[in-house]
Amino acid sequence: MNISVIGAGYVGLVTAAGLAELGHDVVCIDRDQVTVSAINNKTPLIHENGLSNILSRLVPKRLIATTDYKVITDTDLILICVGTPSKPDGSINLRYIKNAAIGLGSVLSSKKGYHVVATRSTIIPNTTKEVIIPIIERYAGNKVGFAYNPEFLQEGKAVQAFFNPQRLIIGELNKRAGNVLLKAFKDIPAAIFRTDLTTAEMIKYASNAFLATKISFINEIANICQRAGVDVYDVVKGLSFDYRIGGEFLNAGIGFGGSCLPKDVAALIYASMNHFGYRPELLRTVLDINEMQPSKMIDIAESKLGSLRNKTIAVLGLAFKPNTDDIRNAPAIGIIKLLLAKGAVVRAYDPQALDNAKRVFPQRVDFCSSAAEAIADSDCVLIATEWDEFKNISLYHGKMVIDGRRALEPSKAKSICDYQGVSW
Ligand code: UDX
């Protein structure tokens, strides 16, 4: 098939590369010339395991990038993969979705024959029906079919997840539109669920809200466990035998960050309250607990050291999770802001996210080139991301360590340092 993908960011480029690998001819359309040139030069701006390998083999044979929407006149299926960031009030910003709909609608107006537009971006239920379809039909009439196909890619494992998803959710305006999407993914082994557009949109939000809820749930249980003298990680082992509960996504610590879970829960809360007339108390509490967890590290540090003014605090890990350089909504960033507000001297290290963090803190943080360098001369070490290299306990001899991610095994760590877990 000939497929065009609008938006060559994280979701768009992984989707485009995956579809090209499946044998389709794919064009990526992005308004940013630097992004486009990087793809055409086989040096993508985002880092995902396996992505460069696909680009090096398939650009320009089956995958090219352009800024020009006109190429979609040669394709059978368009996938909208643009960002849907948050506005300051937490609501979803549909600016890029609307721009994409206008851009492709105006080109589709001159295209003959049937065409399917499917969205992969996370969008509030009813957005395809109330925003995307009206814009495109205004330009192109009713010769376009519509579908919604949410992605569930986790950063760091996105390429692998593209080829082995647990499910393929096809939200379709009608069977004809859904069939085109199914044809594009026909070689992907996954359970397939076909449903209407709005249900598919909601499945994406419910998935991320559930994952976020699991994390805040276990953090709440962890806080109770800690007071009861119980290790929450042993409790999770006991829980995991019950298949109804499972053991995944129950790692207690300083909570969830990243570009999806915090944003999507906030957008769902906003839409629920402002568009659907329902106040989602559970989801509000999920965010409240998540906001509280990182500051527990500071509370523990103060309880041990007294005032943090002029104390040297080493922060290990800046990315929102290991194996990425992404610091969006990373708990470590909020922790550093609090430390600076309290007058602490901050020494920080991350194996991949230093450059991004330097842009957030151009002056007041002392960025180090290794964990050992950050730890040396510190009064206290905070572990904010569980990178493998931080699991080497010999780094921490004689130090005060507060572990926000269960990077260290408590009994071993306690034998060589003053160790305290954030909720264990
Ligand atoms: C998430 C969803 O997992 C994915 O399906 C969706 O498409 C996009 O959002 P991602 O943002 O890449 O993926 O990160 P994820 O691996 O889910 O981790 C999110 C955050 O939760 C991280 O900060 C991580 O450290 C934290 N986390 C995860 C926990 O605190 N405890 C856990 O048990 C699991």
Side-chain angles (χ1 to χ4, degrees):
M1 287 172 75
N2 288 319
I3 300 174
S4 42
V5 176
I6 309 212
Y10 172 74
V11 172
L13 186 53
V14 171
T15 300
L19 289 167
E21 184 80 317
L22 290 177
H24 302 297
D25 288 317
V26 185
V27 184
C28 254
I29 303 163
D30 198 286
R31 67 201 166 110
D32 180 33
Q33 184 59 56
V34 177
T35 302
V36 164
S37 304
I39 295 168
N40 288 333
N41 291 330
K42 311 176 187 194
T43 51
L45 302 178
I46 57 163
H47 303 284
E48 263 306 320
N49 277 341
L51 185 62
S52 295
N53 178 292
I54 297 180
L55 264 56
S56 68
R57 286 183 289 108
L58 300 185
V59 173
K61 204 166 53 169
R62 289 210 294 272
L63 175 62
I64 52 159
T66 175
T67 54
D68 189 355
Y69 274 86
K70 286 202 189 78
V71 291
I72 64 180
T73 49
D74 295 328
T75 62
D76 316 304
L77 169 67
I78 296 170
L79 293 168
I80 301 179
C81 298
V82 297
T84 48
S86 296
K87 291 185 188 166
D89 61 8
S91 64
I92 190 168
N93 186 342
L94 290 177
R95 190 155 59 111
Y96 303 119
I97 290 279
K98 289 178 183 166
N99 286 347
I102 293 167
L104 61 91
S106 51
V107 177
L108 284 179
S109 63
S110 60
K111 185 175 191 263
K112 294 200 172 56
Y114 185 69
H115 200 99
V116 171
V117 174
T119 305
R120 297 203 99 198
S121 313
T122 304
I123 44 175
I124 292 292
N126 290 322
T127 302
T128 306
K129 272 207 266 186
E130 292 176 3
V131 179
I132 297 174
I133 294 179
I135 293 177
I136 293 176
E137 288 194 341
R138 196 185 313 145
Y139 289 91
N142 60 4
K143 63 187 177 201
V144 182
F146 292 93
Y148 180 71
N149 169 235
E151 53 76 28
F152 302 99
L153 308 174
Q154 269 179 290
E155 260 179 63
K157 319 176 188 166
V159 173
Q160 190 193 338
F162 177 89
F163 294 109
N164 299 286
Q166 289 169 329
R167 58 194 151 157
L168 208 47
I169 305 290
I170 311 277
E172 54 200 12
L173 184 62
N174 50 42
K175 287 267 180 262
R176 188 181 179 196
N179 285 344
V180 173
L181 206 53
L182 271 181
K183 192 175 158 201
F185 289 107
K186 76 174 178 11
D187 293 327
I188 295 278
I192 292 169
F193 179 57
R194 298 179 76 159
T195 184
D196 62 82
L197 294 164
T198 309
T199 305
E201 291 165 344
M202 189 65 206
I203 287 169
K204 175 63 197 262
Y205 273 100
S207 297
N208 278 356
F210 186 65
L211 294 174
T213 303
K214 282 187 97 169
I215 298 168
S216 281
F217 166 81
I218 206 61
N219 283 333
E220 177 121 296
I221 294 293
N223 291 335
I224 300 171
C225 284
Q226 192 179 31
R227 286 161 178 81
V230 174
D231 184 345
V232 66
Y233 277 78
D234 287 338
V235 171
V236 170
K237 274 184 209 146
L239 290 178
S240 65
F241 294 103
D242 186 333
Y243 70 88
R244 296 170 304 173
I245 300 174
E248 297 290 315
F249 257 71
L250 290 173
N251 294 319
I254 51 174
F256 56 84
S259 63
C260 295
L261 299 191
K263 160 182 95 81
D264 292 349
V265 178
L268 184 57
I269 292 171
Y270 186 95
S272 180
M273 290 183 47
N274 294 286
H275 302 314
F276 307 132
Y278 176 75
R279 194 180 160 83
E281 295 298 352
L282 174 63
L283 297 182
R284 287 160 59 94
T285 306
V286 164
L287 285 191
D288 288 346
I289 293 173
N290 199 54
E291 270 157 34
M292 193 178 70
Q293 285 302 107
S295 62
K296 291 190 70 193
M297 294 190 103
I298 312 279
D299 297 343
I300 297 168
E302 281 179 327
S303 73
K304 287 172 175 280
L305 291 167
S307 165
L308 298 184
R309 179 157 297 282
N310 296 326
K311 299 279 177 3
T312 301
I313 312 292
V315 177
L316 299 188
L318 301 163
F320 81 98
K321 65 177 186 181
N323 306 314
T324 173
D325 63 353
D326 194 342
I327 58 165
R328 286 175 290 176
N329 290 305
I333 302 301
I335 288 168
I336 292 176
K337 286 182 180 161
L338 276 174
L339 288 170
L340 294 174
K342 287 178 180 285
V345 176
V346 178
R347 294 165 67 77
Y349 169 71
D350 187 284
Q352 280 184 23
L354 282 177
D355 288 343
N356 286 334
K358 282 176 187 167
R359 283 192 274 276
V360 179
F361 302 106
Q363 278 159 0
R364 293 179 60 205
V365 173
D366 184 5
F367 289 103
C368 302
S369 52
S370 69
E373 187 191 333
I375 294 168
D377 302 325
S378 66
D379 296 301
C380 178
V381 181
L382 308 184
I383 305 178
T385 314
E386 68 278 30
W387 286 94
D388 278 346
E389 66 179 79
F390 302 157
K391 295 178 182 170
N392 170 11
I393 59 167
S394 63
L395 282 167
Y396 308 101
H397 267 289
K399 287 290 175 183
M400 177 187 292
V401 178
I402 303 171
D403 187 351
R405 293 293 189 187
R406 187 66 160 228
L408 307 181
E409 213 289 297
S411 59
K412 280 193 199 141
K414 278 176 186 165
S415 68
I416 58 133
C417 65
D418 174 3
Y419 176 87
Q420 171 73 61
V422 73
S423 299
W424 54 86

